[in-house]
Structures are given as C-alpha cells and as structure tokens.
Amino acid sequence: MSECIVTSIRLLPPTLVNRIAAGEVIERPASVVKELVENSIDAAARRIEISVRNGGRNLVSVIDDGKGMTDDELAIAIQRHATSKLNDENLMHISHLGFRGEALPSIGSVSRMTITSRHQGAQDAWSLYIEGGDVHDVAPASWPQGTKIEIKDLFFATPARLKFLKTERTELQHIVETVNRLAMSYPEISFSLRADDKHIFSYNAVSKEHEKDTLLHRLSAILGREFKDNALYVDHQKEAMRVHGFVGLPTYNRGTSLAQYLFVNGRPVRDRLLLGAIRGAYQDFLARDRHPVVALFIDVPPDEVDVNVHPTKAEVRFLNDQYVRGLLVRGIKNAIYSAGHQASTTVASSALSAFNPPSPSPPPGQASGSHVYSQGAPAHHSAYEPASLYAPLPPASQHDSLIKDPPMAPAARMEVDASTMTAPSTGTDTVIEDYPLGAARCQLHETYIVAQTRDAIVLVDQHAAHERLVYEQMKQHVKEQSVACQRLLIPEVVDLNPAAVECLTQRASELASFGLVLEALGEQAVIVREVPALFGDANIVQLIKDLADDLEELGESISLSEKVEHILGTMACHGSVRAGRKLNIAEMNALLRDMESTPHSGQCNHGRPTYVKLDLVDVEKLFGRRE
Ligand code: ADP
Ligand code: MG
C-alpha cells in the first residue's frame, strides 16, 4: 500500500508546471500586457507600443526599443525561473518590476508566442516560437532594434480559463487600465495602445525640468485636464520614506475608488492599507460614498517592503505599515490644507452649464424682480453670529432634563473668533473686492450670499459654509484638548451587540479624552455618562451606534482621532443646521473673510462645495457678450 503512494509521486512535466504558474500570473489578457510592458520597462525602453485584437484574446503585441536579447538570452528567457534581474540573490533588494522569471514561460505554455529581439549593438536579430509550452529553436530574424513579443490565441491550451474571459470590451478596459497605471509611473517613456487597428491613446515621453511638472503632464494626459486643474501636489518625506504625487481637491470626487492610483517603488499596487490611509486622510472632507482621485507614489527602501506577496505583485507588505500609513495621511492632509478655501473648478463649470439661455420674452411677473435682502434693506442683525445659526438649542425643558450641570450653550463654544469679524463697511467694496471671495452684495432665499470680486461672481451657500467653520472650530477644541464635557443627568443606556460593546469599551479611555465617557453594561449594552458639550442635543444613541459600526468596520487600521473628526463632522452637518437666516452685509462679509482664513472651507464635510465662483468672462459668454 505505502509502496503504491511512494511510486505515485513524480515531478510534474515543465509545461504543466508552467501552466499551473500561468493560472496564478496570467488571469486575463491584461495580465499578459502587464508582464510584457513591465519587461520592456525593465529593459530600459523609451518607447513601448502595444496593440491588441479582440480584447487581447486573439492578439497581444508589445514592441519596445529596449536593450533587447541575444540568441542565447532568448533561449534562456523562456525557461522557468530564468531572470536577468536578481543578480545578488537577495529578495530584499528588488529594483526591477520583474524578478520571478515566470512570465514568459507561463505565457508561452498557454498561447502561441513569438519573441523577436535584437540585442543592443548586435548585428543580428533572433526569434523564438513557443506554442502551448512546446519551444521551437531560436532562428535568425529581421528586426531593427529592441524586442517585439506577439501572443496569439491566449489560453487556447487551457480552455477552462478561456471560458472565464469577459466580453472583449471589458477585457480591453482592463488592458487600458493596466497600461495607464504603468504609464503614470513612467512619464519619461512613450506609450501607445491600439485595439483592433484603432488608435486608443498615445502618451508622449515627458521630460520637464521639475519632476512635479513631468508627472502632472503625464497625469493630465491620462486623467484629463480636469484632474490637472483640481489636483494638489503632495510631497512629503520622513526619514528614508517619501510620498509624492497629486491628489484631487475634495470637491472633485467620484462615486468609486477606482481612480485611486497607488505606486510603491514605481510598481502599481492596490493595497488595502494604502487605500484605507487615503480614506482616512479625506474622511474629514468627503461623504462615505464619495471617493477622491489620487495618484501617489510611495518610495520606501527596498528592504522595508516585500513585493513578493503575490505572483501578480499587486499587493505589498511593509515592515512598518503604520509608519507608511502615517506618511500618506500626513502628506495628503498637508496638501489639502494648503488648498485653503479652494473649491474645485468643476463646480463652476457644472454650474454654468446648468444655466439655460433665457427665453426671448420673459414670463409675466419676472420683470418685477424678486425680493432679495440686499444692501438697501434694513439689517435684522447687527453682528455676525455664526454659531447661533448653527447650534439651535433644544426646547429648554427637554435639554435641562438631560443635563445635570447645564454646560455653556454649544452656541457659545462655537463662536468664530471675534477678531476675524471686522467686517468692512460697504463703502470699501473696491478693496474688499480684492479678497478671494470678494465683497458681499446681497442674500438670496435667506440661504445664498452673492458677492463680487473684480472679475467674478461668487455664490456662497451660507449653511454649508457655516457648517464647515463651526466644524473646524470643534476640531480645534478637540486638538487643544479643550473639549468641554456635559454629564448626562440620566445616563443613556445603548443596546448593542457584544462585538460592538467590546469595540467601544476597548477604546473607552481614548474616547474619554474626546469627552465621551462610557462603560460596558453587561455584554449587550453600554452606558454613556458624559458626552462632549459640542455635541449639543445630538442623538446619543445614534452616535454611539454609528461609532461602534465605524470602529468595528475599520478595526485597528484607523486612529480614533480621525474617527472622532468624522463623527464631529457628521454632527455639524446633520445635527446643527437650522433653516435660513437673514444676514446683513457686514455679517456676510465677515463670513466670507472667515472662510478665506479657515482651512478646508471650500467644501462642507461631505465634499459638497460651499461656494461657486463664476468668472465674469464665462458669465459674459452666457449672455453672448463674448465669443
Ligand atoms: P522576469 O521579468 O521576472 O525576469 P520574465 O519571464 O518576464 O521574468 O522574463 C525573463 C527574462 O527575459 C527577463 O529577465 C529579461 O532578461 C528577458 N526579457 C523579457 N522581456 C524582455 C524585453 N522586452 N527586452 C529585453 N529582455 C527581456
Ligand atoms: Mg517579467
């Protein structure tokens, strides 16, 4: 019996081994493109031309002007574990994109592949054909320079895999994505893609004086001009690690996280830790279902990252992942901070395109003008009181019954620094017009402030703007540890599942430092004794449930301070905004000046803009005053 088992063990034939490897490395035509283009990049190519047919199923061809291969190299290249890229046998120092030496033999085992190459400076070119793993002899060929690899009938030898391919369109989409990612990382190389003889794109090699400009040029070729206009430069270094690249303004956001391009040491990756860090950095500015657009390059010393986690090398593992996470979050936050009150340009263009040309004869009544609260109208409020717009107190009876020691009203804590409230009088409009958000002229619908600068009209959503100002102040209190607590007269018991109770109680001391004092009450509830006074009369049960959900979902990967910011933001947005209030010109101007001096005030906490700036030039076009 045992004899039988021993004799049944045998070494698998090389073709089968290669096909098994192909199962891991070559999932679809885009994987072939990725492996071949990476090889061209490793071969120091300056120009890479890709063409495919039928979504890559019938043909993938990659031509480069790299250093090429000699006939001997060609013969070895298609052998398993043959690589020219790991010379010191040290897996901790990986400087090329390839190193496993398995792409060519794997692809050759499941397709019909022809490699034609001429080594740098050599007189002759050579070619090699391999079909379903069956390698033919190297033969002389005619080829000017570099390497051309043609893959026909991918997966003909593994019909099971063939069946899993999606439509040609989808496969082509994956190919486009793959080349785009690599092209972002190598702006100094030209890339072109053709599909079924149609031109898809070509990106010319870029070489500008500054790395930043080179990168932005390539990114705008790939992601569009709009990205360029709304991108913030990130460059942050900490010891031997660096993150640089561009991130979109929060108001320039998307419905999915697909437009988040991340690179580690030049290699495109999709890594959960890094995606989580992006979410963390933006969560203060974006709703959960909105995602920023980013292209970020992380450089870490090769011995601090393991790229050999997965055959496709799309995942990486860092020696110190919290450090890397921190680097990314800080880099992005600095960039967003530097944007000040800036909101994205797309906001204005979508606003402009929403205007319809007026009909030739206005409907009756329109000419009489609407009643706006403007300069001429009497002021109902002499001083700008941002907080009072925001933090309505609940009916006194309800409020008092909850709180033993009534704290200072939330409104009082949220006041925006009085020193910034020196609202200039309307007589100095010409000077105020030089401010980025200009001079306030009137208020419409008790909601929108209309202001003018020298060359633009500014519309401000006063609610959204206020919300942000108050929120920034709340955060400041948390940062300065000047959070005031309010002790609940009747402690709130919140029923939860045991895992949620565990999550919250584990973080109890951290939560206490933010003014939230709670403890477990049995296995399925927590009892809340104190809440931050800033939370006003917020729904505590809902807050605790949301907090528990967030902590459970995000686990350890996110620091609580970021989380609490998120909670504060949600409160400011949902909890505290009251219906419109009339503002006089001085109040409006004070609000505009506050916005200019408050970081992140270009968007509300959910990534919606707080203002729109319409260039006069564009408005003039709207009325046909300008071409
Ligand atoms: P790896 O890239 O991991 O080394 P591959 O199977 O992809 O393994 O390639 C094997 C070898 O073939 C490479 O190490 C390289 O020496 C050579 N090679 C592949 N493609 C090219 C190319 N386009 N130009 C020059 N050499 C190439
Ligand atoms: Mg390779």
Side-chain angles (χ1 to χ4, degrees):
M1 194 65 190
S2 61
E3 225 171 277
C4 185
I5 291 170
V6 169
T7 52
S8 71
I9 297 180
R10 64 189 173 98
L11 280 174
L12 297 174
T15 299
L16 194 52
V17 173
N18 287 334
R19 281 188 192 159
I20 292 169
E24 287 191 313
V25 187
I26 309 300
E27 192 193 341
R28 55 179 4 137
S31 335
V32 172
V33 172
K34 169 177 178 288
E35 294 297 334
L36 298 185
V37 173
E38 287 187 352
N39 280 346
S40 299
I41 294 171
D42 283 344
R46 297 285 99 200
R47 174 163 200 92
I48 301 174
E49 292 169 15
I50 303 133
S51 55
V52 301
R53 281 188 190 283
N54 309 93
R57 183 193 276 237
N58 293 8
L59 174 77
V60 171
S61 148
V62 174
I63 297 175
D64 70 50
D65 61 354
K67 64 180 171 21
M69 286 174 269
T70 63
D71 52 344
D72 290 344
E73 286 169 342
L74 202 52
I76 299 172
I78 47 91
Q79 287 180 29
R80 192 165 168 73
H81 303 311
T83 179
S84 55
K85 304 170 192 172
L86 261 190
N87 36 20
D88 57 0
E89 292 179 10
N90 186 352
L91 264 185
M92 296 308 274
H93 282 100
I94 287 160
S95 51
H96 286 91
L97 292 170
F99 60 86
R100 296 170 63 111
E102 51 187 12
L104 292 186
S106 301
I107 298 167
S109 72
V110 296
S111 69
R112 300 186 170 91
M113 171 166 82
T114 312
I115 310 178
T116 309
S117 192
R118 177 159 162 179
H119 192 258
Q120 241 169 12
Q123 296 295 314
D124 309 304
W126 298 89
S127 109
L128 183 151
Y129 180 66
I130 162 170
E131 179 174 328
D134 181 10
V135 185
H136 293 222
D137 288 340
V138 175
S142 141
W143 187 247
Q145 61 154 339
T147 303
K148 165 173 153 177
I149 304 194
E150 266 187 354
I151 315 293
K152 288 187 176 151
D153 307 326
L154 180 66
F155 298 137
F156 88 92
T158 47
R161 184 50 67 95
L162 197 56
K163 270 194 254 163
F164 282 98
L165 291 189
K166 300 277 186 309
T167 61
E168 290 181 7
R169 235 183 93 122
T170 305
E171 294 302 338
L172 177 60
Q173 201 46 50
H174 282 282
I175 292 169
V176 170
E177 244 331 88
T178 300
V179 182
N180 275 344
R181 280 178 193 265
L182 287 165
M184 286 181 193
S185 195
Y186 294 91
E188 64 292 348
I189 302 177
S190 322
F191 291 84
S192 69
L193 175 67
R194 297 179 70 78
D196 304 305
D197 291 325
K198 281 199 288 289
H199 169 92
I200 306 291
F201 58 68
S202 55
Y203 307 134
N204 292 332
V206 203
S207 150
K208 303 217 178 246
E209 197 182 328
H210 298 293
E211 171 193 45
K212 171 184 172 184
D213 300 330
T214 302
L215 178 60
L216 189 56
H217 193 279
R218 175 56 60 88
L219 289 178
S220 96
I222 298 172
L223 296 171
R225 256 210 69 136
E226 222 171 68
F227 177 75
K228 184 177 173 183
D229 293 341
N230 292 288
L232 305 168
Y233 185 52
V234 172
D235 191 3
H236 184 62
Q237 185 146 14
K238 214 170 153 195
E239 287 162 33
M241 294 192 195
R242 177 185 180 216
V243 56
H244 82 285
F246 287 87
V247 298
L249 281 165
T251 40
Y252 178 73
N253 54 48
R254 300 264 174 98
T256 73
S257 65
L258 290 176
Q260 294 180 356
Y261 301 93
L262 291 165
F263 304 82
V264 173
N265 293 350
R267 187 188 301 279
V269 297
R270 269 202 89 73
D271 183 86
R272 280 173 56 112
L273 170 90
L274 301 178
L275 291 172
I278 295 175
R279 192 154 68 140
Y282 274 90
Q283 74 171 5
D284 209 10
F285 314 105
L286 280 179
R288 263 191 199 199
D289 56 347
R290 304 302 303 172
H291 304 267
V293 180
V294 315
L296 287 174
F297 298 80
I298 298 147
D299 295 321
V300 301
D303 54 357
E304 294 200 29
V305 57
D306 185 359
V307 291
N308 192 23
V309 180
H310 189 265
T312 64
K313 311 182 200 94
E315 286 169 37
V316 289
R317 208 157 283 159
F318 298 102
L319 206 58
N320 187 347
D321 53 8
Q322 285 313 309
Y323 192 88
V324 176
R325 182 177 198 281
L327 179 87
L328 209 60
V329 171
R330 186 44 43 220
I332 297 174
K333 283 199 166 179
N334 285 352
I336 299 176
Y337 189 85
S338 70
H341 66 276
Q342 201 183 336
S344 76
T345 59
T346 47
V347 172
S349 41
S350 54
L352 277 171
S353 60
F355 282 116
N356 292 320
S359 51
S361 52
Q366 194 168 300
S368 65
S370 50
H371 294 282
V372 296
Y373 182 78
S374 68
Q375 282 178 46
H380 293 290
H381 301 271
S382 52
Y384 166 52
E385 302 162 277
S388 60
L389 299 169
Y390 265 88
L393 287 172
S397 55
Q398 185 197 338
H399 194 63
D400 291 345
S401 68
L402 279 171
I403 301 164
K404 192 161 62 187
D405 267 332
M408 204 159 61
R413 297 177 199 293
M414 294 176 195
E415 260 165 39
V416 172
D417 184 3
S419 64
T420 61
M421 285 183 225
T422 47
S425 81
T426 50
T428 55
D429 266 4
T430 44
V431 182
I432 322 177
E433 279 180 8
D434 288 331
Y435 282 105
L437 296 177
R441 282 308 173 89
C442 69
Q443 184 192 32
L444 304 177
H445 295 288
E446 291 168 18
T447 301
Y448 303 103
I449 296 168
V450 182
Q452 73 179 58
T453 65
R454 290 195 190 279
D455 52 10
I457 297 171
V458 180
L459 288 174
V460 177
D461 177 335
Q462 77 181 44
H463 293 263
H466 267 145
E467 182 187 296
R468 188 73 203 186
L469 294 180
V470 170
Y471 169 58
E472 289 297 331
Q473 183 128 32
M474 291 164 93
K475 273 200 312 191
Q476 195 59 30
H477 287 173
V478 170
K479 198 167 149 194
E480 290 165 356
Q481 301 190 322
S482 57
V483 180
C485 293
Q486 62 184 41
R487 173 166 270 275
L488 302 175
L489 180 59
I490 305 164
E492 190 87 48
V493 175
V494 186
D495 294 325
L496 294 161
N497 64 42
V501 173
E502 177 69 19
C503 263
L504 285 167
T505 48
Q506 260 180 11
R507 305 264 203 166
S509 62
E510 269 178 284
L511 288 169
S513 69
F514 292 103
L516 196 60
V517 177
L518 54 78
E519 65 204 56
L521 187 71
E523 277 184 2
Q524 304 202 3
V526 295
I527 180 160
V528 184
R529 300 196 183 278
E530 288 177 35
V531 299
L534 288 173
F535 284 10
D537 65 328
N539 182 335
I540 294 163
V541 176
Q542 202 49 51
L543 162 69
I544 297 296
K545 287 187 170 163
D546 283 355
L547 193 57
D549 280 351
D550 290 342
L551 292 177
E552 265 188 284
E553 186 194 334
L554 297 159
E556 299 288 303
S557 74
I558 191 143
S559 84
L560 197 56
S561 61
E562 287 168 25
K563 204 63 253 148
V564 170
E565 283 182 356
H566 176 74
I567 299 282
L568 291 177
T570 309
M571 300 278 199
C573 201
H574 295 299
S576 322
V577 184
R578 199 162 62 171
R581 209 202 74 175
K582 287 187 178 175
L583 298 176
N584 64 29
I585 293 294
E587 291 170 327
M588 289 187 248
N589 274 324
L591 174 67
L592 299 182
R593 301 295 83 79
D594 276 341
M595 287 173 70
E596 287 156 0
S597 62
T598 303
H600 318 308
S601 63
Q603 66 268 315
C604 85
N605 307 328
H606 294 79
R608 289 188 295 273
T610 54
Y611 74 91
V612 181
K613 197 169 188 175
L614 305 171
D615 287 340
L616 270 191
V617 179
D618 291 327
V619 176
E620 283 164 6
K621 281 186 199 153
L622 209 62
F623 290 99
R625 282 166 172 268
R626 219 180 237 268
E627 281 302 294

